[in-house]
mmCIF file of all heavy atoms in Angstrom:
data_model
loop_
_atom_site.group_PDB
_atom_site.id
_atom_site.type_symbol
_atom_site.label_atom_id
_atom_site.label_comp_id
_atom_site.label_asym_id
_atom_site.label_seq_id
_atom_site.Cartn_x
_atom_site.Cartn_y
_atom_site.Cartn_z
ATOM 1 N N TYR N 46 -84.428 2.860 -56.079
ATOM 2 C CA TYR N 46 -84.952 2.314 -54.832
ATOM 3 C C TYR N 46 -86.486 2.187 -54.919
ATOM 4 O O TYR N 46 -87.044 1.148 -54.572
ATOM 5 C CB TYR N 46 -84.571 3.226 -53.665
ATOM 6 C CG TYR N 46 -85.141 2.757 -52.338
ATOM 7 C CD1 TYR N 46 -84.514 1.760 -51.593
ATOM 8 C CD2 TYR N 46 -86.321 3.312 -51.818
ATOM 9 C CE1 TYR N 46 -85.035 1.328 -50.378
ATOM 10 C CE2 TYR N 46 -86.851 2.886 -50.609
ATOM 11 C CZ TYR N 46 -86.208 1.897 -49.907
ATOM 12 O OH TYR N 46 -86.734 1.456 -48.704
ATOM 13 N N ARG N 47 -87.121 3.251 -55.409
ATOM 14 C CA ARG N 47 -88.580 3.216 -55.516
ATOM 15 C C ARG N 47 -89.054 2.119 -56.464
ATOM 16 O O ARG N 47 -90.110 1.553 -56.300
ATOM 17 C CB ARG N 47 -89.119 4.585 -55.966
ATOM 18 C CG ARG N 47 -89.127 5.625 -54.852
ATOM 19 C CD ARG N 47 -89.921 6.857 -55.251
ATOM 20 N NE ARG N 47 -89.358 7.537 -56.405
ATOM 21 C CZ ARG N 47 -88.422 8.490 -56.315
ATOM 22 N NH1 ARG N 47 -87.979 8.865 -55.128
ATOM 23 N NH2 ARG N 47 -87.939 9.065 -57.407
ATOM 24 N N ALA N 48 -88.231 1.831 -57.465
ATOM 25 C CA ALA N 48 -88.582 0.785 -58.428
ATOM 26 C C ALA N 48 -88.223 -0.607 -57.915
ATOM 27 O O ALA N 48 -88.378 -1.599 -58.625
ATOM 28 C CB ALA N 48 -87.885 1.053 -59.764
ATOM 29 N N GLY N 49 -87.729 -0.666 -56.691
ATOM 30 C CA GLY N 49 -87.406 -1.980 -56.098
ATOM 31 C C GLY N 49 -86.158 -2.611 -56.682
ATOM 32 O O GLY N 49 -85.964 -3.828 -56.582
ATOM 33 N N MET N 50 -85.302 -1.791 -57.282
ATOM 34 C CA MET N 50 -84.139 -2.370 -57.941
ATOM 35 C C MET N 50 -82.883 -2.392 -57.072
ATOM 36 O O MET N 50 -81.835 -2.850 -57.503
ATOM 37 C CB MET N 50 -83.867 -1.621 -59.260
ATOM 38 C CG MET N 50 -84.986 -1.923 -60.253
ATOM 39 S SD MET N 50 -84.957 -0.847 -61.658
ATOM 40 C CE MET N 50 -83.618 -1.585 -62.565
ATOM 41 N N ILE N 51 -83.008 -1.866 -55.861
ATOM 42 C CA ILE N 51 -81.879 -1.920 -54.937
ATOM 43 C C ILE N 51 -82.317 -2.709 -53.706
ATOM 44 O O ILE N 51 -83.365 -2.421 -53.125
ATOM 45 C CB ILE N 51 -81.400 -0.520 -54.556
ATOM 46 C CG1 ILE N 51 -80.754 0.150 -55.768
ATOM 47 C CG2 ILE N 51 -80.433 -0.560 -53.385
ATOM 48 C CD1 ILE N 51 -80.391 1.589 -55.585
ATOM 49 N N LYS N 52 -81.526 -3.684 -53.328
ATOM 50 C CA LYS N 52 -81.822 -4.464 -52.141
ATOM 51 C C LYS N 52 -81.170 -3.794 -50.947
ATOM 52 O O LYS N 52 -80.000 -3.435 -51.007
ATOM 53 C CB LYS N 52 -81.296 -5.894 -52.263
ATOM 54 C CG LYS N 52 -81.765 -6.601 -53.531
ATOM 55 C CD LYS N 52 -83.274 -6.809 -53.564
ATOM 56 C CE LYS N 52 -83.708 -7.423 -54.872
ATOM 57 N NZ LYS N 52 -84.807 -6.655 -55.502
ATOM 58 N N GLY N 53 -81.937 -3.628 -49.880
ATOM 59 C CA GLY N 53 -81.389 -2.934 -48.715
ATOM 60 C C GLY N 53 -81.664 -1.454 -48.830
ATOM 61 O O GLY N 53 -82.469 -1.018 -49.649
ATOM 62 N N GLY N 54 -81.010 -0.696 -47.990
ATOM 63 C CA GLY N 54 -81.342 0.732 -47.877
ATOM 64 C C GLY N 54 -80.622 1.607 -48.879
ATOM 65 O O GLY N 54 -79.638 1.196 -49.500
ATOM 66 N N VAL N 55 -81.150 2.810 -49.047
ATOM 67 C CA VAL N 55 -80.477 3.845 -49.844
ATOM 68 C C VAL N 55 -80.393 5.089 -48.958
ATOM 69 O O VAL N 55 -81.409 5.563 -48.444
ATOM 70 C CB VAL N 55 -81.261 4.146 -51.142
ATOM 71 C CG1 VAL N 55 -80.749 5.409 -51.809
ATOM 72 C CG2 VAL N 55 -81.167 2.962 -52.105
ATOM 73 N N PHE N 56 -79.191 5.583 -48.787
ATOM 74 C CA PHE N 56 -78.963 6.675 -47.845
ATOM 75 C C PHE N 56 -78.327 7.855 -48.587
ATOM 76 O O PHE N 56 -77.195 7.730 -49.091
ATOM 77 C CB PHE N 56 -78.050 6.217 -46.704
ATOM 78 C CG PHE N 56 -78.578 5.005 -46.029
ATOM 79 C CD1 PHE N 56 -78.230 3.722 -46.449
ATOM 80 C CD2 PHE N 56 -79.486 5.115 -44.981
ATOM 81 C CE1 PHE N 56 -78.743 2.589 -45.839
ATOM 82 C CE2 PHE N 56 -80.012 3.992 -44.363
ATOM 83 C CZ PHE N 56 -79.641 2.735 -44.799
ATOM 84 N N LEU N 57 -79.058 8.945 -48.671
ATOM 85 C CA LEU N 57 -78.621 10.037 -49.541
ATOM 86 C C LEU N 57 -78.169 11.266 -48.749
ATOM 87 O O LEU N 57 -78.499 11.434 -47.581
ATOM 88 C CB LEU N 57 -79.755 10.401 -50.495
ATOM 89 C CG LEU N 57 -80.313 9.212 -51.306
ATOM 90 C CD1 LEU N 57 -81.436 9.658 -52.210
ATOM 91 C CD2 LEU N 57 -79.207 8.522 -52.113
ATOM 92 N N GLY N 58 -77.432 12.118 -49.442
ATOM 93 C CA GLY N 58 -76.890 13.308 -48.818
ATOM 94 C C GLY N 58 -77.437 14.602 -49.410
ATOM 95 O O GLY N 58 -76.759 15.621 -49.391
ATOM 96 N N LYS N 59 -78.659 14.528 -49.902
ATOM 97 C CA LYS N 59 -79.256 15.711 -50.543
ATOM 98 C C LYS N 59 -79.273 16.890 -49.564
ATOM 99 O O LYS N 59 -79.772 16.775 -48.452
ATOM 100 C CB LYS N 59 -80.668 15.384 -51.010
ATOM 101 C CG LYS N 59 -81.311 16.499 -51.807
ATOM 102 C CD LYS N 59 -82.664 16.046 -52.355
ATOM 103 C CE LYS N 59 -83.299 17.169 -53.157
ATOM 104 N NZ LYS N 59 -84.603 16.793 -53.701
ATOM 105 N N GLY N 60 -78.747 18.007 -50.032
ATOM 106 C CA GLY N 60 -78.667 19.183 -49.165
ATOM 107 C C GLY N 60 -77.285 19.331 -48.548
ATOM 108 O O GLY N 60 -76.959 20.391 -47.995
ATOM 109 N N GLN N 61 -76.483 18.289 -48.619
ATOM 110 C CA GLN N 61 -75.165 18.332 -47.989
ATOM 111 C C GLN N 61 -74.031 18.283 -49.025
ATOM 112 O O GLN N 61 -72.867 18.103 -48.670
ATOM 113 C CB GLN N 61 -75.034 17.191 -46.969
ATOM 114 C CG GLN N 61 -76.145 17.240 -45.922
ATOM 115 C CD GLN N 61 -75.952 16.373 -44.704
ATOM 116 O OE1 GLN N 61 -76.864 16.245 -43.900
ATOM 117 N NE2 GLN N 61 -74.768 15.779 -44.539
ATOM 118 N N GLU N 62 -74.391 18.464 -50.299
ATOM 119 C CA GLU N 62 -73.389 18.331 -51.361
ATOM 120 C C GLU N 62 -72.280 19.376 -51.258
ATOM 121 O O GLU N 62 -71.122 19.078 -51.550
ATOM 122 C CB GLU N 62 -74.049 18.423 -52.739
ATOM 123 C CG GLU N 62 -74.967 17.259 -53.084
ATOM 124 C CD GLU N 62 -76.434 17.524 -52.716
ATOM 125 O OE1 GLU N 62 -76.686 18.414 -51.871
ATOM 126 O OE2 GLU N 62 -77.307 16.842 -53.282
ATOM 127 N N ALA N 63 -72.644 20.595 -50.884
ATOM 128 C CA ALA N 63 -71.631 21.663 -50.840
ATOM 129 C C ALA N 63 -70.573 21.343 -49.787
ATOM 130 O O ALA N 63 -69.366 21.349 -50.072
ATOM 131 C CB ALA N 63 -72.302 23.001 -50.534
#
Side-chain angles (χ1 to χ4, degrees):
Chain N
Y46 177 82
R47 284 192 297 271
M50 291 168 78
I51 291 173
K52 307 296 176 231
V55 168
F56 305 91
L57 306 180
K59 185 174 180 180
Q61 304 194 188
E62 293 93 340

